[in-house]
Amino acid sequence: MLVLLLAPVARAWAPGTGSVRWAVSAARPRRWTLLRPLASAATEEAADKGSGKGVAKGGDPLAWPVSRVRSTFVDFFAEKKDHTPWPSSPVVPYDDPTLLFANAGMNQFKPIFVGQADPNGPLGGLKRAANSQKCIRAGGKHNDLDDVGKDVYHHTYFEMLGSWSFGDYFKKEAICWAWELLTEVYGLNPDRLYASYFAGDEQTPMDEEARDLWLQFLPESRVLPFDKTDNFWEMGDTGPCGPCTEIHYDRIGGRDAAALVNADDPDVLEIWNLVFIQFNREGSGELRPLPEQHVDTGMGLERLVSVLQDKRSNYDTDVFGPLLEAIQKQVPGLEPYAGKVGADDKELKDTAYRILADHLRTLSFAIADGATPSNEGRGYVLRRVLRRAVRYGQQTLGAEPGFFAKLIPVVVSTFGEAYPELVANEAKIVSVIEEEERAFSSMLGRGVKYLEAVVEEKLKQAGSKAGSKAGSKAGSKAVSGEEAFFLYDSLGFPVDLTEIMAEEKGFSVDKQGFLEAMEAQRERSRAAAQSAKFALGDGAPLVLGAEQTAWLASAAGVPPTQDEAKYKWDEEGFEAEVQAVFTSQGFVVSDSSLVVEDGVVASDPGSVHSGGGQVGLVLDQTTFYAEAGGQVADTGVIEVVNPDGSEGKVEIYDAQSYAGFILHRGVVLSGSVATGAKAKASVDYARRRKIAPNHTLTHVLNAALNKVLGGEVSQKGSLVNEDKLRFDFSHSKALTAPEVQQVEAAVQAAVASKLEVFTRVVPLKAAQEINGLRAVFGESYPDPVRVVSVGHDLEEVLAEPKAEAWVASGSIEFCGGTHLGNTQEAQAFVLAEETAVAKGIRRVVALTGAPALAALEKGAALAAAVAQAEADFKPYAKSPEGVPLEQLDTAVADLRKELDELGPSIGLAVRASARNRIEGLQKMAGSAKKAQAAAAAAKGLEAVQSALGAASAEGRGWVVVDDAPGLANDAKASKKAAELAKKSGLSLLYLSFDQSASKVALACFVPPGSALAEAGLAAKDWAGAALGACGGRGGGKADAAQGQAVLDSANAADLLAKASEAARDAATEAAPELAK
């Protein structure tokens, strides 16, 4: 009998097969705990065997919670097999622009595989490693997004348990240790295990070594050969690759399941893939053995947990249990998750459960690691993920808007111990999702309306209402591929959602057309990427890969480039030796003993001459700074004297580091260059002097932003070149004008304070102890590491690393860049731009040196011009009626034009101040216009009232006012004039001339019962007579009419006189007895 110990609040959860109970705190579920059963001593003894000392065969969901599965894997390799426990990299691969997300455990080790790892960096001496890597497969080449929810094993976020050997052990150890871990530690039944190996093809022989190793543990019937589709791993079209062996597990057992291996059977699944990286794929397709062989293994954590807990579905394990239960609680009356798929899940309830549980993890980990939803790149993928989850939650499960963000605390409590970044960023994750969820809730309505409009239009085109026979003709009830793609691409609607919504209305979706539209977009993306890749015009830039760096180190015996001299200044003609010459065809050599290899060693003569296109030089030592840390590479010239006495000159436009070899990329200007040449390297120090202040003040800016914005700022990217500095940082909103001023003032104060800049190479552990030290999230640093301090002597800092003084002022960062000796060398600092890069990420651009001084000068000139305008019109502030509007309008327009033309060439703070002050002048003009218009209207009303009074006293029945100023543009005053006429009982026609617009407005009123009304003169006819005399037009009714005319300023007075005369003549003719 099984007795469960329950926490104060406990809830049973039993989807699919078996039953598991979870304990949850009554206040808040910070932690989910599997409760062990009270059982007999025999049962306890069996459970003890599950501690890793010799696990009993068969799965025990209580013995193997996900946390234990994860730690057991890493501990096995770290403690028993001498592997380095390596932390998971962020799911946002900051140092690999080729990836949207980390999608495999090997991503962060890619520099080792391709031969580009810095020997002084953290990967430099690494031989063995093991970890659990956070991975996301949504978007890009590896994309499981649209499959999630449809089955019980696809995920967009998952963890990959991995072990690696970098040029150390190989197949024997990898296979034997995998068997040991699975059978002896995890306790899997060996009778349920199958192994596959590469069967070979016309290019590559069978992997007999792997086969023979497996035959030590498994019968031949369970060691199975497969082709390269299943058992040959490649990083890309070219590059490192090799055969792999996969371990498969039969969930059912007691049978021969060999035929089901690699047959997509859910009960016979691959659990571990061991990749043996031993070849390099050339551009020609040829495979060449690598100088160093590597092992890269990967095992899906969620899948392994399902096996150990004896669950047929990953979603039935404790990985997802707490999330599924939390989802149910969000919707009152919602049935619990039942694990149904396909036709059994008719209402898609369980599909929605799985989508929400999966997407919650993806978004939480991605946002915690610095990504945010946006309209491009990985941000766009995250936005699609979130919208897909929200749609299923609201439309399928009936959740209220805003439900999704409320589930984040459960993700944090479930995975926060293993990944503390979730705990640290919980508030940020909730905030980002709340904002995105609000935005999509309104967009969801737009999508529904769009689809309804499409359906309605198609029904109209079919000439029938919905449901009629005509409306069901072929093609008339199908949403086109373009329309479905619009919903997918612009509104974030997955195509399966569009199909469901269309089906509800009796429509289908042109799925093929949708796929074609998607492929067209992908083709556009590929074309854009290819265009960028070949931006240099004569082909892709020269790059040293694994084979090239291995050839340099082994075949050519070239040591890594010594680059300590890059921190020196004014080293003209720095002496070095050319160790290698590289072109697009490979290394150029004159030594006939070196074998010619395509792409590695070229068949060209032993030197490169001018006019030969790009060339790359590897020197024994250099003063050139290779691009790194956001700072662009040095440029300059390398002059050589070749071994045969000939000379050459190479213009260097870039320098890049590959596995410690610095490749100076350039063009041969004259002569030739050959391996072994004596070189004189001359950096363009004038250009570097423009770069250095931008880099040093980037550090000061980073510190200033943290101080002004409250210490929550983290660097998200930077660019430092000779023109400007650009700095991306985490912040949820735009900087206010006062914040811009404070940040700029803080950096300017550092320049004025003439702070000394200190640099020192320090052991990494000691450097990390420094209070206030800033480093880039996701970046890996060498040990020892170079520290740059602005304002604090590093000897004093290291003597007392925890002092608060290091935080209060100055800046301390890890950095390998070239810097100033003193901040005063920067001369000046100006913030030029501040914009949004993505949700939660801001970007500032700043200027230093001569550009900053020029910006300050231009800004001062603009500020002086604004001040002069303010002084010119200040006397009118209390008497707006007297403001010379034409001059003020001209001044405002001129200042606005100057501000727009200057743009970012002046400081952001000056620009904001000038804009506010110009707006102040514009408000003055607006107030003056209103005051002057009101004064003119009052004057016009006074003229009307005076004329009506005089006419009444004289006994006239009508009156014409030749000029009633201000009434032309004042509807209230015009209405008042009508009321005066009605009250007097007289008919009124007035003209109001607007001289600035050369326009005359006319209004006339013939009150019912007035003399003109009795005489039969309608207001519209009276107005027509006057307007006809001056070329105007109008209209109205019997009692009121109006109109206008645009007059030629040269004869406006004559036309006004004619209009007045025509008005009088019409009135006199209608009622001659009233004319006096």
Side-chain angles (χ1 to χ4, degrees):
M1 177 179 176
L2 181 67
V3 180
L4 292 173
L5 295 178
L6 300 180
V9 176
R11 187 181 183 102
W13 177 79
T17 59
S19 176
V20 180
R21 291 184 181 269
W22 315 95
V24 55
S25 163
R28 184 167 184 256
R30 294 303 307 173
R31 192 153 187 77
W32 290 82
T33 306
L34 279 163
L35 300 179
R36 296 297 304 273
L38 293 175
S40 65
T43 305
E44 289 295 337
E45 183 180 353
D48 287 341
K49 291 180 181 179
S51 64
K53 302 172 184 177
V55 175
K57 312 307 179 195
D60 181 354
L62 299 179
W64 287 108
V66 61
S67 58
R68 184 178 174 218
V69 176
R70 183 192 296 115
S71 61
T72 296
F73 180 91
V74 177
D75 291 347
F76 172 81
F77 282 101
E79 297 172 6
K80 295 186 176 182
K81 308 303 178 186
D82 198 27
H83 286 57
T84 301
W86 203 260
S88 169
S89 68
V91 292
V92 179
Y94 293 100
D95 54 356
D96 189 347
T98 66
L99 293 173
L100 284 175
F101 299 101
N103 56 28
M106 56 76 60
N107 290 157
Q108 65 175 317
F109 303 115
K110 184 177 173 181
I112 299 178
F113 298 137
V114 299
Q116 296 177 0
D118 185 345
N120 298 316
L123 299 178
L126 192 62
K127 287 297 183 182
R128 301 181 181 186
N131 75 357
S132 185
Q133 170 65 45
K134 301 177 293 184
C135 299
I136 290 178
R137 289 187 178 176
K141 180 180 178 182
H142 301 287
N143 182 8
D144 291 337
L145 176 58
D146 293 331
D147 293 319
V148 169
K150 297 177 182 178
D151 53 40
V152 295
Y153 50 85
H154 272 103
H155 307 294
T156 54
Y157 171 85
F158 62 95
E159 291 184 48
M160 184 67 79
L161 301 171
S163 60
W164 292 271
S165 165
F166 307 111
D168 191 10
Y169 64 82
F170 203 44
K171 295 180 184 180
K172 179 180 179 181
E173 293 84 352
I175 289 174
C176 292
W177 294 343
W179 181 262
E180 179 184 349
L181 176 60
L182 291 177
T183 61
E184 297 181 22
V185 178
Y186 285 130
L188 296 185
N189 186 341
D191 294 337
R192 295 190 180 192
L193 295 176
Y194 294 76
S196 65
Y197 64 94
F198 179 52
D201 57 24
E202 63 280 357
Q203 269 191 313
T204 314
M206 175 192 298
D207 191 356
E208 295 181 3
E209 182 181 0
R211 179 200 63 187
D212 293 344
L213 286 166
W214 278 120
L215 290 174
Q216 298 177 32
F217 305 107
L218 294 169
E220 189 173 355
S221 61
R222 286 194 278 133
V223 180
L224 310 172
F226 287 90
D227 64 17
K228 65 180 181 181
T229 303
D230 294 304
N231 281 83
F232 197 90
W233 177 88
E234 301 199 50
M235 185 178 294
D237 294 336
T238 61
C241 58
C244 62
T245 181
E246 297 173 341
I247 304 171
H248 298 255
Y249 179 80
D250 178 16
R251 290 187 186 275
I252 296 175
R255 59 176 181 168
D256 180 4
L260 301 178
V261 172
N262 283 334
D264 291 328
D265 187 294
D267 290 320
V268 180
L269 64 162
E270 173 202 337
I271 57 173
W272 203 348
N273 188 12
L274 283 57
V275 177
F276 306 121
I277 304 175
Q278 61 188 97
F279 302 110
N280 192 78
R281 175 81 67 184
E282 302 298 317
S284 63
E286 179 188 356
L287 292 177
R288 183 175 290 118
L290 286 171
E292 283 193 330
Q293 298 174 327
H294 311 294
V295 174
D296 166 19
T297 85
M299 177 159 55
L301 173 66
E302 292 82 0
R303 188 171 290 188
L304 177 61
V305 170
S306 75
V307 168
L308 291 172
Q309 293 184 7
D310 196 20
K311 301 293 182 183
R312 292 188 68 194
S313 164
N314 295 352
Y315 291 93
D316 289 346
T317 68
D318 66 326
V319 176
F320 291 98
L323 305 183
L324 295 169
E325 185 173 309
I327 293 166
Q328 183 190 0
K329 289 179 180 178
Q330 282 293 316
V331 184
L334 180 65
E335 293 181 0
Y337 175 68
K340 295 178 181 178
V341 296
D344 294 334
D345 188 24
K346 293 180 181 178
E347 297 179 354
L348 300 178
K349 174 182 66 69
D350 290 334
T351 297
Y353 263 116
R354 288 187 289 270
I355 287 171
L356 264 63
D358 172 88
H359 292 4
L360 273 168
R361 299 204 307 162
T362 299
L363 289 159
S364 297
F365 278 97
I367 295 170
D369 282 351
T372 52
S374 67
N375 288 328
E376 59 184 16
R378 64 175 63 96
Y380 174 70
V381 174
L382 292 181
R383 181 163 284 169
R384 280 189 55 220
V385 169
L386 187 144
R387 290 175 178 178
R388 188 170 188 258
V390 170
R391 207 298 301 183
Y392 273 97
Q394 292 185 19
Q395 298 282 310
T396 305
L397 298 184
E400 293 293 326
F403 80 97
F404 199 64
K406 296 176 183 177
L407 296 167
I408 299 305
V410 184
V411 180
V412 174
S413 64
T414 305
F415 302 101
E417 181 180 9
Y419 298 104
E421 61 268 26
L422 289 173
V423 179
N425 291 283
E426 180 175 351
K428 174 187 173 184
I429 299 167
V430 171
S431 175
V432 170
I433 288 181
E434 281 178 340
E435 186 175 346
E436 282 289 317
E437 198 173 353
R438 278 194 300 270
F440 182 58
S441 291
S442 62
M443 195 169 289
L444 184 60
R446 286 174 53 199
V448 172
K449 288 180 181 178
Y450 173 80
L451 191 59
E452 288 176 347
V454 168
V455 168
E456 184 178 351
E457 181 62 26
K458 290 183 182 295
L459 289 173
K460 286 180 180 178
Q461 291 175 358
S464 170
K465 294 182 179 179
S468 71
K469 292 181 179 180
S472 62
K473 292 178 182 178
S476 64
K477 299 190 72 176
V479 176
S480 72
E482 291 78 7
E483 291 159 342
F485 186 72
F486 173 80
L487 282 164
Y488 175 87
D489 191 49
S490 299
L491 299 180
F493 278 59
V495 68
D496 54 350
L497 166 60
T498 303
E499 287 180 307
I500 293 167
M501 294 171 65
E503 185 179 352
E504 292 170 355
K505 300 179 182 297
F507 273 62
S508 62
V509 173
D510 178 7
K511 193 70 174 288
Q512 183 59 38
F514 169 82
L515 295 173
E516 289 172 359
M518 176 173 280
E519 183 57 33
Q521 186 199 51
R522 288 173 177 162
E523 188 58 42
R524 289 192 294 270
S525 299
R526 283 192 289 266
Q530 194 73 358
S531 175
K533 185 177 179 181
F534 291 97
L536 285 178
D538 62 342
L542 300 175
V543 174
L544 300 182
E547 281 197 284
Q548 288 78 27
T549 55
W551 182 87
L552 284 171
S554 55
V558 176
T561 309
Q562 298 299 311
D563 66 345
E564 293 83 0
K566 67 187 177 186
Y567 296 121
K568 296 182 178 181
W569 289 81
D570 300 320
E571 288 282 330
E572 298 293 339
F574 180 79
E575 294 186 355
E577 183 176 306
V578 178
Q579 302 289 293
V581 179
F582 188 64
T583 70
S584 58
Q585 282 74 46
F587 289 105
V588 178
V589 298
S590 55
D591 186 351
S592 59
S593 66
L594 293 171
V595 179
V596 172
E597 300 179 61
D598 229 6
V600 182
V601 180
S603 57
D604 296 331
S607 62
V608 177
H609 296 265
S610 60
Q614 295 185 77
V615 65
L617 304 183
V618 177
L619 308 180
D620 61 338
Q621 56 182 346
T622 186
T623 50
F624 279 78
Y625 179 83
E627 180 180 340
Q631 180 178 328
V632 297
D634 280 334
T635 59
V637 171
I638 295 178
E639 297 176 291
V640 301
V641 177
N642 296 309
D644 63 2
S646 62
E647 298 180 354
K649 186 175 183 180
V650 182
E651 181 179 13
I652 303 300
Y653 58 78
D654 187 30
Q656 298 288 331
S657 180
Y658 302 100
F661 298 102
I662 295 180
L663 187 68
H664 303 74
R665 301 199 293 217
V667 177
V668 181
L669 296 179
S670 62
S672 61
V673 59
T675 302
K678 299 298 181 183
K680 289 188 176 181
S682 298
V683 169
D684 183 349
Y685 288 106
R687 175 176 174 272
R688 189 196 278 186
R689 279 191 169 83
K690 297 176 182 178
I691 297 171
N694 286 333
H695 202 155
T696 300
L697 292 197
T698 295
H699 289 211
V700 180
L701 171 64
N702 191 354
L705 285 166
N706 272 275
K707 186 173 295 185
V708 172
L709 301 180
E712 296 300 322
V713 169
S714 62
Q715 182 175 340
K716 295 298 181 183
S718 67
L719 171 67
V720 177
N721 61 24
E722 64 270 37
D723 300 319
K724 63 181 181 296
L725 67 89
R726 189 182 75 201
F727 187 76
D728 297 346
F729 59 98
S730 58
H731 193 55
S732 60
K733 55 188 176 182
L735 271 64
T736 63
E739 287 171 341
V740 170
Q741 292 171 350
Q742 291 174 51
V743 170
E744 186 173 75
V747 182
Q748 289 172 341
V751 175
S753 298
K754 302 179 181 179
L755 301 177
E756 190 172 350
V757 179
F758 301 88
T759 63
R760 187 165 175 174
V761 177
V762 179
L764 182 60
K765 188 173 182 180
Q768 289 172 331
E769 296 295 316
I770 299 173
N771 190 18
L773 177 89
R774 300 201 63 77
V776 180
F777 178 76
E779 189 78 36
S780 57
Y781 294 95
D783 188 9
V785 64
R786 186 169 182 259
V787 180
V788 175
S789 170
V790 180
H792 300 298
D793 190 327
L794 281 169
E795 188 171 338
E796 298 175 7
V797 171
L798 292 169
E800 195 177 353
K802 296 298 183 182
E804 287 298 319
W806 319 142
V807 181
S809 64
S811 163
I812 306 176
E813 293 191 27
F814 291 157
C815 184
T818 57
H819 286 271
L820 302 174
N822 191 293
T823 56
Q824 69 172 331
E825 298 171 39
Q827 300 178 289
F829 175 87
V830 170
L831 276 176
E833 294 181 68
E834 194 270 344
T835 56
V837 176
K839 192 177 294 297
I841 300 179
R842 308 296 300 180
R843 168 174 291 172
V844 291
V845 175
L847 308 173
T848 68
L853 291 172
L856 291 172
E857 185 178 349
K858 292 176 185 177
L862 176 63
V866 174
Q868 184 61 54
E870 290 173 331
D872 290 343
F873 296 101
K874 186 176 181 181
Y876 301 101
K878 294 183 179 180
S879 55
E881 297 85 355
V883 172
L885 280 173
E886 187 174 346
Q887 293 95 313
L888 179 54
D889 285 342
T890 300
V892 169
D894 290 345
L895 289 171
R896 279 196 174 281
K897 181 181 179 183
E898 185 177 358
L899 177 63
D900 292 341
E901 289 176 348
L902 287 171
S905 69
I906 62 173
L908 184 60
V910 172
R911 218 159 58 240
S913 174
R915 185 178 293 110
N916 290 336
R917 292 166 70 185
I918 293 170
E919 286 175 358
L921 288 170
Q922 194 164 19
K923 287 179 181 178
M924 177 189 285
S927 298
K929 286 176 183 176
K930 288 182 180 179
Q932 292 179 15
K939 188 177 179 182
L941 282 174
E942 185 180 349
V944 167
Q945 192 166 15
S946 176
L948 286 171
S952 180
E954 296 172 4
R956 286 186 282 117
W958 55 267
V959 62
V960 174
V961 181
D962 298 333
D963 187 16
L967 299 188
N969 300 311
D970 194 322
K972 289 184 179 180
S974 181
K975 185 178 180 181
K976 180 67 174 175
E979 292 172 354
L980 289 173
K982 184 176 181 181
K983 186 176 181 180
S984 69
L986 303 178
S987 297
L988 168 68
L989 184 150
Y990 68 77
L991 298 166
S992 181
F993 182 57
D994 182 354
Q995 188 172 359
S996 64
S998 293
K999 180 178 70 175
V1000 64
L1002 175 149
C1004 68
F1005 309 97
V1006 181
S1010 65
L1012 284 185
E1014 293 298 324
L1017 181 60
K1020 62 179 181 178
D1021 297 327
W1022 196 16
L1027 289 168
C1030 62
R1033 297 179 65 184
K1037 299 179 180 179
D1039 60 341
Q1042 60 186 6
Q1044 65 178 20
V1046 178
L1047 307 180
D1048 185 349
S1049 57
N1051 57 359
D1054 291 341
L1055 292 172
L1056 283 171
K1058 288 180 180 179
S1060 297
E1061 184 179 355
R1064 287 186 174 87
D1065 289 346
T1068 300
E1069 182 179 347
E1073 72 280 2
L1074 297 178
K1076 292 185 180 179

